Amino acid sequence: MEEAIIKVHHALTNYIPAEVRPDVTKLIEGTRKDFASPRFSEWKGHQFSTPSNADKVEWQYSNWDPTENDVLVATYAKTGTTWTTKLVKHLIYQHDKDLLKMALTVTPMQGYLEFGIPLSFEVLEKLPWKRKIWATHLPATLINMKRLEENRTKIIYVVRNPKDQVVSHFHFTKSNPFFQKDSIQQPYPKDFNEFFEAAVNGKLPSGGGLSYPDHILTWHPYLKKENVLFITFEDLKRDTAKEVRRIANFLAVERSNDEINQILEETSFQNLQKKPSKLEESIKMFRKGRLLKLQRFAWRRAIIVCIWSKGYHKLMSYVSKEVKKEDQGGNVTVLRNVKMTFFNTVLAK
């Protein structure tokens, strides 16, 4: 995995003219340091574990100045980040195969706001693309949202059913060799029950050390902003074509039905599993990507009960207040459905 990332550092910097090319040795040194001694860091009371870096989080908050052409895919871990990011890249660069290849070469170590070192921002800024595509697992409170709104930077926030997310996250940390390192292993329990307890109580360093509902709560105030689009992983799976058209419209990208179908074929989960990059293969990025059915395993029913008792009531309470403000005429009916229709309420569809 380490060598795969270093190879990408070289590949990306080679796209940049020599006279303005950043020093790739600093990127390589940063990567080797991360793999040699994974560590924890903290900023504004939020904990991060390598490859997330508090110094980079602080740098992006103060200095990152994206344009209205830039796109940020924001998610909690294991809610569809990689898939959505690939869809965006194919939509924007479908007709320029060289730029599409370059865009797809960018890994989380270069393209995530919180991963690696601040120099990676310079690399992406100097790449020859008109629309830069970024990603993040950060809560909205750790991003300069005012600046992004003023710049009209496009943001796509992906939400996933919490029971599916926690199961996917558990398997990802179990199979990813990076999380097996002694210095980083402790916060990611190998036992599912322990992992679940840590997840719902905000004890995992993922997402800045927030639980998934708390992460959603930081993004919910931006739900109706013109530069923000909320989508769900479930909708993306059930009717990918429809959701890709929504994303295309949001990004002001015109694509025919045939062009959309071509993108669907190239970014299908089956194809992503068959043709992963070396980095994606090494960390087992694409496991199943399917929608779990509660009745298949008894413990999944227990997850729903535990989630409710361990903190998800905070999210539902917050959403309930929002509904009350928006619909004074039918509060009783709406509130009765809040607990049953989690995503419909959060996304206000």
Side-chain angles (χ1 to χ4, degrees):
M1 180 165 61
E2 178 181 348
E3 295 306 318
I5 293 172
I6 290 173
K7 185 176 180 180
V8 171
H9 288 326
H10 282 291
L12 287 177
T13 52
N14 285 338
Y15 281 101
I16 303 172
E19 60 272 17
V20 294
R21 185 179 300 160
D23 185 358
V24 71
T25 59
K26 292 182 179 179
L27 289 172
I28 294 172
E29 288 171 2
T31 298
R32 294 203 185 282
K33 181 180 178 181
D34 282 345
F35 279 85
S37 56
R39 61 201 179 279
F40 295 95
S41 55
E42 187 174 308
W43 185 60
K44 285 192 173 183
H46 292 267
Q47 190 179 50
F48 305 93
S49 66
T50 309
S52 295
N53 182 346
D55 290 340
K56 192 179 182 189
V57 176
E58 182 177 5
W59 190 95
Q60 64 81 29
Y61 188 93
S62 301
N63 300 283
W64 184 45
D65 193 23
T67 70
E68 64 179 319
N69 285 325
D70 287 9
V71 182
L72 174 64
V73 177
T75 67
Y76 197 75
K78 304 312 293 177
T79 58
T81 326
T82 302
W83 188 24
T84 307
T85 304
K86 286 181 181 289
L87 284 169
V88 170
K89 290 176 179 179
H90 277 268
L91 273 171
I92 292 176
Y93 294 112
Q94 184 178 29
H95 298 312
D96 192 324
K97 297 304 179 183
D98 290 336
L99 283 182
L100 177 59
K101 180 181 178 181
M102 184 193 75
L104 292 173
T105 301
V106 176
T107 76
M109 291 302 295
Q110 297 88 25
Y112 277 44
L113 303 185
E114 65 271 29
F115 284 9
I117 62 176
L119 182 61
S120 61
F121 280 97
E122 183 180 350
V123 173
L124 263 67
E125 292 289 353
K126 289 183 176 180
L127 288 175
W129 52 356
K130 293 182 179 179
R131 301 194 73 172
K132 296 178 284 294
I133 298 127
W134 312 80
T136 188
H137 293 323
L138 291 175
T141 48
L142 297 185
I143 299 172
N144 195 326
M145 296 297 289
K146 181 179 179 182
R147 181 185 296 147
L148 268 63
E149 183 177 0
E150 290 173 349
N151 292 355
R152 296 189 293 181
T153 302
K154 296 288 194 258
I155 301 171
I156 300 172
Y157 186 75
V158 188
V159 183
R160 187 179 186 183
N161 189 317
K163 65 183 176 66
D164 291 355
Q165 182 277 328
V166 73
V167 172
S168 180
H169 198 186
F170 171 67
H171 285 287
F172 178 72
T173 57
K174 271 190 67 176
S175 61
N176 187 328
F178 187 83
F179 292 101
Q180 308 311 312
K181 293 179 178 289
D182 292 339
S183 59
I184 213 75
Q185 190 180 73
Q186 182 189 4
Y188 299 96
K190 292 184 177 181
D191 175 78
F192 178 79
N193 291 329
E194 294 177 8
F195 185 92
F196 178 78
E197 289 290 330
V200 298
N201 285 293
K203 301 299 183 183
L204 301 179
S206 304
L210 293 182
S211 67
Y212 188 23
D214 284 328
H215 192 274
I216 295 175
L217 287 178
T218 70
W219 284 95
H220 190 267
Y222 303 95
L223 173 65
K224 295 186 178 180
K225 297 291 185 181
E226 289 186 4
N227 68 313
V228 179
L229 175 69
F230 270 56
I231 64 174
T232 75
F233 183 85
E234 286 69 24
D235 286 343
L236 204 53
K237 284 288 291 183
R238 291 191 184 104
D239 195 341
T240 310
K242 178 182 177 182
E243 292 306 297
V244 169
R245 289 189 185 94
R246 283 186 68 216
I247 295 172
N249 290 336
F250 175 68
L251 299 178
V253 175
E254 294 186 8
R255 292 290 178 261
S256 67
N257 288 337
D258 287 343
E259 289 170 330
I260 292 290
N261 289 333
Q262 181 184 351
I263 291 172
L264 299 187
E265 174 64 24
E266 293 173 348
T267 60
S268 70
F269 206 81
Q270 292 73 21
N271 272 343
L272 295 181
Q273 284 182 312
K274 290 177 182 177
K275 302 175 184 178
S277 67
K278 289 186 177 180
L279 176 61
E280 291 166 349
E281 186 176 14
S282 69
I283 62 177
K284 297 178 174 59
M285 178 63 74
F286 304 107
R287 193 175 71 90
K288 293 184 179 179
R290 66 189 185 197
L291 310 182
L292 302 181
K293 295 181 180 179
L294 183 62
Q295 65 270 26
R296 292 188 62 193
F297 295 99
W299 55 262
R300 288 184 189 140
R301 190 176 302 278
I303 287 178
I304 299 301
V305 175
C306 290
I307 283 176
W308 184 258
S309 63
K310 295 287 186 179
Y312 275 72
H313 65 279
K314 292 186 294 186
L315 177 61
M316 304 317 300
S317 173
Y318 179 87
V319 173
S320 297
K321 291 176 183 177
E322 291 295 301
V323 173
K324 285 180 181 178
K325 292 177 183 178
E326 295 176 10
D327 189 354
Q328 296 294 334
N331 287 337
V332 175
T333 301
V334 173
L335 291 180
R336 188 177 296 139
N337 290 333
V338 164
K339 299 177 184 178
M340 300 301 294
T341 55
F342 178 85
F343 291 118
N344 286 343
T345 306
V346 173
L347 302 183
K349 285 189 174 181

